[in-house]
Amino acid sequence: MANKYYFFTDINTLSTQSSGEFGPAGTTTSGSNTYDQYRVSSMHTSSADAPAIAICKGTIFVQEQDATHLNIVLKPFEQAPFEFPKIKYFIYKGILKNSLINSSDKIVAKATNEITNELWTSYGSYNNVSTAPPKDVLGLDITPNTNGDSSSLDAIFYRTGVNNQLPIVNGGWKMGNFDQTGFGFEIMFESLGFEPTLALVRNNEHIIKVKQIAGATQAEFFEHWHDKEEILNYIDPCAFFGCFYNKNLLVYNGSSFDNRNGEDIYTNVLSKFTNKDKCYVDIRNEFNFSLNYFKNYGSSATNNTTNVSLKKGASTSVTLNYYDNNWPILILNYTGFSGSVTTHQTLGIKLPCNSGSNNDDNPAPLVYLDKAYFPNSKFPDEFVLKDKFLPLNVSSHFTDEFSIGLPCKNGALLSCYSRIKFCKRNSNSSLPSPVDTQIRRTDSLESIFSTKMNFSPTSINTKVFNENIYIDTLESNGFDAVFSLGINFDSNNVTLFAVPSNYSNFENNKAKNPLSITDEKSIGNYLKKLGEISEASNLTKVTVSTTQGEGDVDTLVYQETYIGFLQKFNTPELKHLLGLGFTVAEWSSIISLASNSSNFTQKYPVFLSISNKQTDIDSNNNHYTVFDFKLKGYKLNGNNISVATVDANIKQYSYGDI
């Protein structure tokens, strides 16, 4: 059964939005500086104090916005019932405090709503009392005095040694009342390196501000556009609800819930939003940054113009700067579309492959349609499984044209969100020298894992990031796929792993729900079992001899056990797990090098890079691979910033060719 999802408030009392919409929000001036603004909250008013409705089942955490208002964070247990990037949190802002907490800092009367009823029942049962629960059961013991605004929001949901566990709500439950004079709703994506702080769930609305630049140096220009990438951690709630075009959205009408889908979504839900006709086309590079983050597809290091070719319906293709709205996402309305209109319009796209010269930087491009509708009679079906992979050719420095569908009604688009990954396959073509700010993958393990994946193990030992990162392992492993990335800690080892979430050409690409084995608990248990097998085996060391040195190696034996363990499972995703193993001490050294400001400028990502990769034969006549680790990130040098590398002084050995 598909997960049930609900609209976030009473649609009948919700006023038609006249301001406070998600998206570019003009500029503001502070002192001598002017800042570009992008609102990632969707702000609203209503004709009466309206219920805040749990959009799905999940855990909630409550914080004070001010003396009379609360904000609620909902961490979902269930993802949306359609193809979509993973959502990290839903945030409800502007809840009237007296609709949840009374003047004595206790939970209000049991019968007030479903969450108060649940809190009274569970608290009373656990403590064998019939008194009102304290506000602490909602997490309100987490205060600015004990947990500052810079504290991690993620850590709150994994805290240990506390008197009260955070409550669980079911989809459709009422969780207090919005203040009719103004409230907000936000949706955060899960993104590797995005660690939201408590400050983001204590304010009344969130506007991202980036200082404008004029006559900027190369380093200032790169930083400016890096800072604007923050908006990609959020989605317009209007577009999210528009994505229910081919699914049922349960919408509260003041007394019951109505099923809304198709064009009815526009009439009875999206019409309340200013952005009802805006479609977001989010094009990412192979690292999951925006299309020209590395400045390898633009005109220069200090000019972010990145031309894409768009064909809107039956109209003639036009060239448009992907960053035309001054932010790293393409936002379209119906302007420029032509042709007969039924349920959808077709958007044809060609992407740039050159790096500001005549040498193509991406000679073997592959587009991965992470979230997109078919642009034909199959609409509103979504691209799934191997249909998501589009290997393309290059002509005149652009890819072949490919198309996606955008829902429409009566000469207007219906707000929705599409995400496209512009990836690179391995190629024998001669590549231009990388630009100063470009990190390039030349191997299936090159710059896949980031030190941003690190965390301090507490109640969990494994984290999985559902990024859908494309890795071409055709030559080494016989398949290519998009992968989810993860990290696992045990008492002795740290394992970085990549698990296929969707195959391009592998024979089992029709496997159902490959992501089911990449949840944190399951993969953590697999890796824990692997460690136990390895320790119990009491295996002797293997002697190796290479041009890099010789001696007895433990990790080679560990890799043999590792591979044998994985091959016991029929699940292809486990057999095809890519992994790098380190001792706890080695990993600590890597993090220390990455966090040293003498090595790297700290606001930018640092990746694990490999070098000196060789194959050889051990004393038992088995083939193995050995390589060195380096760290790759960014370093500021005066007015310029460029890619920097630091030697980690760690070798990796693995049986077979990788």
Side-chain angles (χ1 to χ4, degrees):
M1 179 182 294
N3 299 334
K4 289 184 178 181
Y5 259 64
Y6 297 77
F7 191 64
F8 77 105
T9 191
D10 181 350
I11 196 69
N12 283 359
T13 59
L14 187 66
S15 302
T16 300
Q17 196 175 37
S18 59
S19 62
E21 68 273 15
F22 181 100
T27 62
T28 187
T29 301
S30 177
S32 60
N33 295 318
T34 300
Y35 295 83
D36 295 329
Q37 298 188 116
Y38 195 102
R39 181 182 292 104
V40 295
S41 309
S42 185
M43 304 303 296
H44 300 270
T45 60
S46 57
S47 59
D49 295 339
I53 295 174
I55 200 166
C56 65
K57 186 173 184 178
T59 304
I60 64 168
F61 168 60
V62 180
Q63 285 289 271
E64 289 187 349
Q65 182 188 117
D66 55 39
T68 57
H69 296 89
L70 303 173
N71 293 343
I72 298 176
V73 183
L74 192 160
K75 179 179 172 63
F77 288 173
E78 305 160 336
Q79 291 298 306
F82 42 74
E83 295 287 317
F84 208 71
K86 186 174 181 180
I87 291 172
K88 191 179 189 75
Y89 299 119
F90 298 100
I91 303 177
Y92 302 71
K93 296 189 171 183
I95 306 291
L96 290 166
K97 186 174 182 179
N98 61 16
S99 68
L100 277 177
I101 309 295
N102 63 28
S103 59
S104 300
D105 281 343
K106 304 288 187 181
I107 301 300
V108 297
K110 180 176 182 178
T112 303
N113 55 50
E114 289 93 337
I115 185 59
T116 57
N117 180 69
E118 172 61 22
L119 292 172
W120 273 76
T121 300
S122 58
Y123 181 80
S125 176
Y126 184 79
N127 295 283
N128 195 27
V129 297
S130 58
T131 55
K135 68 176 185 178
D136 294 1
V137 298
L138 290 170
L140 283 163
D141 54 322
I142 304 295
T143 66
N145 294 330
T146 56
N147 292 79
D149 283 352
S150 61
S151 298
S152 167
L153 173 59
D154 294 351
I156 300 302
F157 286 92
Y158 297 108
R159 60 184 183 150
T160 58
V162 294
N163 294 325
N164 301 289
Q165 295 297 320
L166 295 173
I168 294 173
V169 299
N170 287 324
W173 278 13
K174 301 178 187 67
M175 305 184 298
N177 293 329
F178 284 121
D179 184 341
Q180 63 179 298
T181 64
F183 54 92
F185 187 64
E186 290 177 20
I187 306 176
M188 291 181 179
F189 283 129
E190 178 180 275
S191 303
L192 201 163
F194 175 49
E195 298 291 339
T197 63
L198 292 180
L200 301 184
V201 296
R202 288 171 173 162
N203 55 24
N204 66 325
E205 69 173 326
H206 184 194
I207 297 177
I208 293 170
K209 300 177 181 180
V210 179
K211 187 173 73 172
Q212 285 188 347
I213 50 176
T217 65
Q218 180 255 13
E220 289 171 334
F221 189 83
F222 187 78
E223 180 179 28
H224 173 85
W225 284 101
H226 167 85
D227 291 348
K228 287 190 169 182
E229 296 274 312
E230 185 180 352
I231 71 164
L232 299 181
N233 297 316
Y234 299 85
I235 180 179
D236 187 346
C238 180
F240 175 71
F241 293 125
C243 288
F244 281 84
Y245 188 95
N246 62 346
K247 297 292 180 181
N248 283 329
L249 177 67
L250 292 162
V251 182
Y252 188 64
N253 62 19
S255 59
S256 60
F257 290 95
D258 297 317
N259 282 320
R260 301 295 185 190
N261 56 35
E263 296 181 0
D264 185 49
I265 285 280
Y266 182 88
T267 304
N268 293 296
V269 179
L270 303 189
S271 59
K272 298 281 189 172
F273 293 80
T274 299
N275 293 341
K276 57 184 177 293
D277 62 345
K278 290 185 177 178
C279 289
Y280 299 82
V281 182
D282 183 359
I283 305 177
R284 309 283 183 101
N285 67 16
E286 69 273 18
F287 283 75
N288 208 32
F289 301 125
S290 73
L291 174 61
N292 193 35
Y293 176 84
F294 292 132
K295 308 297 174 277
N296 59 316
Y297 295 129
S299 56
S300 76
T302 54
N303 185 335
N304 217 41
T305 300
T306 307
N307 290 327
V308 297
S309 175
L310 298 183
K311 184 178 182 182
K312 298 180 177 181
S315 64
T316 302
S317 295
V318 296
T319 299
L320 178 71
N321 176 17
Y322 180 76
Y323 297 87
D324 193 46
N325 64 36
N326 209 29
W327 294 92
I329 194 166
L330 196 60
I331 305 175
L332 303 174
N333 57 27
Y334 200 75
T335 301
F337 280 93
S338 65
S340 59
V341 175
T342 52
T343 58
H344 70 278
Q345 277 282 11
T346 298
L347 180 68
I349 305 172
K350 294 181 181 180
L351 296 177
C353 296
N354 68 309
S355 55
S357 68
N358 290 325
N359 295 320
D360 288 318
D361 187 62
N362 190 358
L366 178 141
V367 160
Y368 182 72
L369 298 172
D370 207 358
K371 160 65 180 174
Y373 294 111
F374 277 104
N376 49 37
S377 60
K378 293 183 179 180
F379 182 89
D381 286 352
E382 297 167 288
F383 289 92
V384 296
L385 299 174
K386 67 179 181 179
D387 288 336
K388 287 175 172 281
F389 295 85
L390 299 179
L392 301 172
N393 296 313
V394 178
S395 177
S396 300
H397 314 300
F398 279 84
T399 67
D400 298 334
E401 184 176 280
F402 63 95
S403 299
I404 62 173
L406 302 177
C408 66
K409 173 182 170 64
N410 297 333
L413 295 180
L414 276 67
S415 186
C416 71
Y417 174 86
S418 302
R419 182 182 287 188
I420 295 166
K421 300 287 183 70
F422 188 41
C423 309
K424 295 181 176 181
R425 291 174 291 163
N426 295 332
S427 170
N428 293 323
S429 299
S430 177
L431 299 175
S433 297
V435 299
D436 286 348
T437 50
Q438 182 182 3
I439 295 176
R440 179 182 283 164
R441 287 182 177 148
T442 55
D443 187 275
S444 60
L445 291 176
E446 169 65 29
S447 297
I448 299 296
F449 301 106
S450 165
T451 56
K452 294 283 188 182
M453 297 170 65
N454 189 53
F455 69 102
S456 298
T458 51
S459 60
I460 64 165
N461 293 313
T462 306
K463 268 192 177 182
V464 174
F465 303 89
N466 295 285
E467 293 277 68
N468 280 346
I469 298 296
Y470 175 77
I471 305 176
D472 185 351
T473 60
L474 274 169
E475 185 175 345
S476 58
N477 295 334
F479 70 95
D480 61 338
V482 292
F483 289 71
S484 294
L485 307 182
I487 182 170
N488 171 266
F489 291 84
D490 63 35
S491 58
N492 300 310
N493 304 293
V494 178
T495 303
L496 304 179
F497 56 90
V499 186
S501 52
N502 190 15
Y503 291 96
S504 169
N505 64 342
F506 181 61
E507 61 181 2
N508 289 329
N509 60 44
K510 293 185 179 180
K512 300 295 183 183
N513 299 321
L515 274 174
S516 63
I517 58 90
T518 67
D519 67 274
E520 292 162 355
K521 183 177 179 181
S522 296
I523 198 68
N525 287 339
Y526 284 124
L527 294 171
K528 179 182 178 182
K529 185 66 175 177
L530 169 59
E532 292 171 352
I533 291 174
S534 179
E535 291 174 5
S537 298
N538 195 27
L539 297 172
T540 58
K541 297 179 180 180
V542 170
T543 300
V544 301
S545 176
T546 75
T547 56
Q548 300 187 75
E550 58 185 50
D552 295 333
V553 180
D554 285 308
T555 54
L556 192 58
V557 177
Y558 181 82
Q559 286 290 335
E560 182 177 34
T561 307
Y562 178 82
I563 293 169
F565 171 77
L566 294 180
Q567 288 176 343
K568 292 180 181 179
F569 294 89
N570 291 323
T571 307
E573 293 76 33
L574 273 180
K575 289 182 179 180
H576 296 148
L577 182 148
L578 305 179
L580 298 175
F582 303 94
T583 65
V584 169
E586 287 173 336
W587 181 247
S588 178
S589 173
I590 286 171
I591 295 302
S592 179
L593 289 170
S595 59
N596 187 335
S597 58
S598 296
N599 295 329
F600 303 106
T601 303
Q602 291 301 294
K603 76 183 302 177
Y604 303 112
V606 177
F607 293 93
L608 279 167
S609 176
I610 66 173
S611 64
N612 300 326
K613 185 175 178 180
Q614 301 176 37
T615 58
D616 217 316
I617 301 174
D618 69 14
S619 56
N620 293 326
N621 207 35
N622 295 310
H623 287 267
Y624 66 91
T625 301
V626 58
F627 50 84
D628 295 319
F629 281 111
K630 294 182 182 294
L631 296 179
K632 186 175 290 185
Y634 291 95
K635 183 69 182 294
L636 185 65
N637 183 15
N639 291 327
N640 293 294
I641 191 167
S642 58
V643 175
T645 59
V646 172
D647 198 332
N649 294 312
I650 298 171
K651 291 186 186 297
Q652 179 93 126
Y653 298 83
S654 179
Y655 272 112
D657 297 331
I658 61 173

